[in-house]
Amino acid sequence: MSSKYIVRVPIKDRDNHIIGYEIQYYGENHAFGGEESTSNDFAAADTIYNFLTLNTDKLLRGTLNFMTFTTTLLMKKSPRLFDKNELVIQIDDSVIIHPLAMHMIQQYAREGYKIAVNEFQFAPRYLAMLDSIDYIKLNFQTLQELTLKNIIEIAHSMNKQCIAVGIDNEQLYQQALKLKVDALEGTVVAEKMTQKTHNSGYLQSNFFRLMVAVIKDEPDIDEIERIISVDATLTYGLLRIANSRYFSLRSKVTTVRQAIMTIGLNELKQWVYLLSASNAENQMDEGAEEFLRLSLMRANFCSSLMNYAKDMPITKSDAYLMGMFSTLNYLIDAPLEEILQPIPVCQEVKDALLHHTGRCGMLYDLALCYERADWTQIDSLAEELHIQTNLLTSLYFSCMEDVNRIWDEITQASASRKEAAKEAEAAKETESAKETPAQ
């Protein structure tokens, strides 16, 4: 069976903020965007088109999305599926040399769609279309530094933005920064963050939801479990407390619900109050928030994969924790091995996270490879785990939709609180002005 995958890869600016995502897709055993010399392109494009038709709401969610359109997809008018404010139409050389396709690109540009060119070259056909493009994507693995420098300088003189792609090691990352690209993309970029947080990496808005939940007259255990389970550092902290010497348990606590029941609501309230007092002045940096969201995505994806993987030595709950704890070394300033030591995560999960070994390591690596659009490894790992490859994309986007929904709930609640605080402050100032006697 032919594999067809779609994945989102983050693109970050020089300050490590996400400016958008590249939607990478693969079908009929080849990545899109190359030569379109076989009829297979039409079959694969049809599959991608049908998927996009049903899933554009899951793909976009208010972000800027870079997507490569082949001539076939352009002829199907696929860009029309997307809002022009949320899409960058990427094109390859095969589109540039196709007269009809280039005519369509120029029309989209006139309509306000942004255009990006993959692997820009110093060639007449590229230079002739500069007026229509907004982004130039440069492969730092294939182009010489002098060539890159010249292209970037010319592009900037014409108000075009340059995106470095293929940034898969620290040397390329530093080279791209030195050459003053506007944004970067690659495995190192996806994993990089501005700075580590120090034991205060929980999501503030989610923490406030937890405070509200625990102080209710009749706290809802299910609600408390849901709130803690979407936050890697809250989950970690709770499991550490539940397994501490204070409770002297014969058997170890391995789930959030067990931990809540073990320590009890009174202790849980005290823990929340202590966290509130010790972190009252701390605000999570944007990089840490991004890693919390990534941990939630991995947790959901690993757990979903467990529905199909064969001969797994762990439970779905273990797989969820494996994904959830995969970013803890970025959120807590300590090695992952040291972080995992005091909590009773099963050995298979620890081996997977630390050494990528065993069948759990395969499952974890499959989730990581899907993030990175490592098509070859995806096929190999899925086969080893006996997971049908045609399920992966739908699982991935179903998990992404769940994460988006949860994140929207958290951030909207936070925004409502901030707005209420502003209104209260404004009312206070108005009242104070009324009470102040005229001079």
Side-chain angles (χ1 to χ4, degrees):
M1 180 179 292
S2 300
S3 305
K4 301 178 182 69
Y5 309 128
I6 302 178
V7 67
R8 298 195 321 168
V9 178
I11 301 172
K12 299 184 180 181
D13 66 15
R14 295 172 58 84
D15 296 321
N16 210 39
H17 301 137
I18 291 180
I19 66 166
Y21 295 87
E22 177 171 358
I23 301 172
Q24 295 187 359
Y25 45 104
Y26 176 99
E28 297 296 335
N29 298 318
H30 69 282
F32 275 66
E35 293 298 321
E36 302 179 48
S37 56
T38 70
S39 60
N40 277 347
D41 175 65
F42 289 90
D46 199 54
T47 299
I48 297 298
Y49 177 83
N50 291 334
F51 181 86
L52 293 177
T53 302
L54 297 174
N55 292 280
T56 49
D57 58 327
K58 298 178 190 177
L59 283 165
L60 296 181
R61 308 290 288 194
T63 61
L64 189 61
N65 292 269
F66 292 71
M67 180 174 174
T68 298
F69 288 86
T70 61
T71 298
T72 304
L73 285 172
L74 288 170
M75 291 172 66
K76 283 178 168 285
K77 299 182 179 179
S78 302
R80 304 281 188 205
L81 296 171
F82 300 83
D83 187 306
K84 63 185 177 185
N85 296 315
E86 297 174 328
L87 176 69
V88 177
I89 300 173
Q90 286 186 173
I91 54 173
D92 288 329
D93 198 54
S94 57
V95 169
I96 293 171
I97 63 176
H98 194 294
L100 179 59
M102 269 313 300
H103 174 75
M104 297 173 73
I105 285 294
Q106 289 164 348
Q107 179 60 34
Y108 281 122
R110 285 192 292 270
E111 292 174 10
Y113 283 89
K114 293 190 180 299
I115 311 297
V117 176
N118 288 324
E119 302 199 25
F120 186 88
Q121 303 172 27
F122 270 133
R125 62 183 181 276
Y126 283 82
L127 297 173
M129 62 167 296
L130 274 173
D131 287 343
S132 298
I133 66 176
D134 303 277
Y135 298 93
I136 290 173
K137 302 190 80 174
L138 301 168
N139 192 327
F140 270 58
Q141 295 187 4
T142 59
L143 294 174
Q144 296 295 318
E145 182 166 336
L146 182 59
T147 302
L148 289 166
K149 183 174 183 293
N150 290 336
I151 294 175
I152 292 168
E153 287 178 353
I154 291 172
H156 283 166
S157 72
M158 302 182 69
N159 296 317
K160 312 298 180 186
Q161 293 195 51
C162 295
I163 300 174
V165 301
I167 307 300
D168 294 342
N169 59 57
E170 185 64 25
Q171 183 180 351
L172 289 175
Y173 185 86
Q174 294 302 327
Q175 182 189 23
L177 292 181
K178 184 181 75 172
L179 293 178
K180 299 181 179 179
V181 298
D182 300 286
L184 307 91
E185 178 182 348
T187 54
V188 168
V189 178
E191 295 168 0
K192 210 169 188 69
M193 62 188 299
T194 307
Q195 60 182 12
K196 290 190 177 182
T197 56
H198 299 271
N199 299 311
S200 61
Y202 56 77
L203 188 64
Q204 292 284 341
S205 52
N206 194 49
F207 177 69
F208 290 131
R209 295 173 76 212
L210 178 59
M211 288 186 67
V212 171
V214 298
I215 63 176
K216 288 180 178 178
D217 291 338
E218 296 184 10
D220 185 336
I221 301 298
D222 290 336
E223 180 188 11
I224 293 170
E225 180 186 12
R226 284 194 300 272
I227 292 170
I228 295 175
S229 293
V230 301
D231 192 312
T233 45
L234 286 177
T235 300
Y236 174 74
L238 182 63
L239 287 178
R240 279 199 68 171
I241 290 173
N243 289 283
S244 66
R245 292 179 185 176
Y246 179 80
F247 293 99
S248 302
L249 299 174
R250 291 183 179 178
S251 58
K252 294 298 183 180
V253 174
T254 59
T255 70
V256 170
R257 192 172 190 86
Q258 286 176 348
I260 294 170
M261 303 308 291
T262 297
I263 72 174
L265 286 173
N266 286 333
E267 289 289 339
L268 182 65
K269 288 178 184 178
Q270 290 184 33
W271 174 60
V272 171
Y273 291 149
L274 283 172
L275 283 178
S276 174
S278 62
N279 292 283
E281 300 302 321
N282 291 334
Q283 293 295 321
M284 172 179 292
D285 64 68
E286 187 174 341
E289 189 169 321
E290 178 188 331
F291 272 90
L292 273 177
R293 184 167 183 152
L294 177 61
S295 70
L296 180 58
M297 179 64 196
R298 288 179 179 176
N300 278 271
F301 196 32
C302 287
S303 178
S304 295
L305 291 172
M306 284 290 294
N307 291 325
Y308 304 94
K310 305 297 183 186
D311 304 320
M312 295 302 296
I314 60 172
T315 65
K316 283 187 67 175
S317 295
D318 292 329
Y320 185 92
L321 286 181
M322 180 169 69
M324 181 63 74
F325 289 164
S326 65
T327 65
L328 276 180
N329 55 316
Y330 295 101
L331 296 164
I332 300 173
D333 193 22
L336 188 57
E337 186 170 10
E338 181 182 321
I339 294 169
L340 294 176
Q341 194 274 329
I343 57 173
V345 179
C346 67
Q347 191 59 46
E348 290 87 353
V349 167
K350 288 185 178 179
D351 289 342
L353 289 172
L354 298 173
H355 311 297
H356 300 263
T357 55
R359 292 189 71 75
C360 294
M362 291 181 190
L363 188 83
Y364 178 48
D365 285 345
L366 177 56
L368 297 183
C369 287
Y370 203 97
E371 279 178 18
R372 298 166 182 164
D374 187 342
W375 313 124
T376 303
Q377 282 293 97
I378 291 170
D379 279 337
S380 174
L381 289 165
E383 183 178 355
E384 287 276 359
L385 293 167
H386 305 292
I387 299 174
Q388 293 182 26
T389 55
N390 64 333
L391 296 172
L392 293 177
T393 292
S394 59
L395 286 177
Y396 176 81
F397 279 100
S398 177
C399 290
M400 191 172 74
E401 189 174 30
D402 287 341
V403 170
N404 284 336
R405 176 183 51 77
I406 292 167
W407 217 254
D408 285 347
E409 289 174 3
I410 293 172
T411 53
Q412 285 171 10
S414 176
S416 297
R417 277 192 301 273
K418 288 179 181 177
E419 188 61 34
K422 284 182 181 178
E423 290 176 1
E425 186 64 27
K428 185 178 179 181
E429 289 178 0
T430 302
E431 192 64 30
S432 177
K434 288 179 181 177
E435 293 174 358
T436 302
Q439 298 296 320

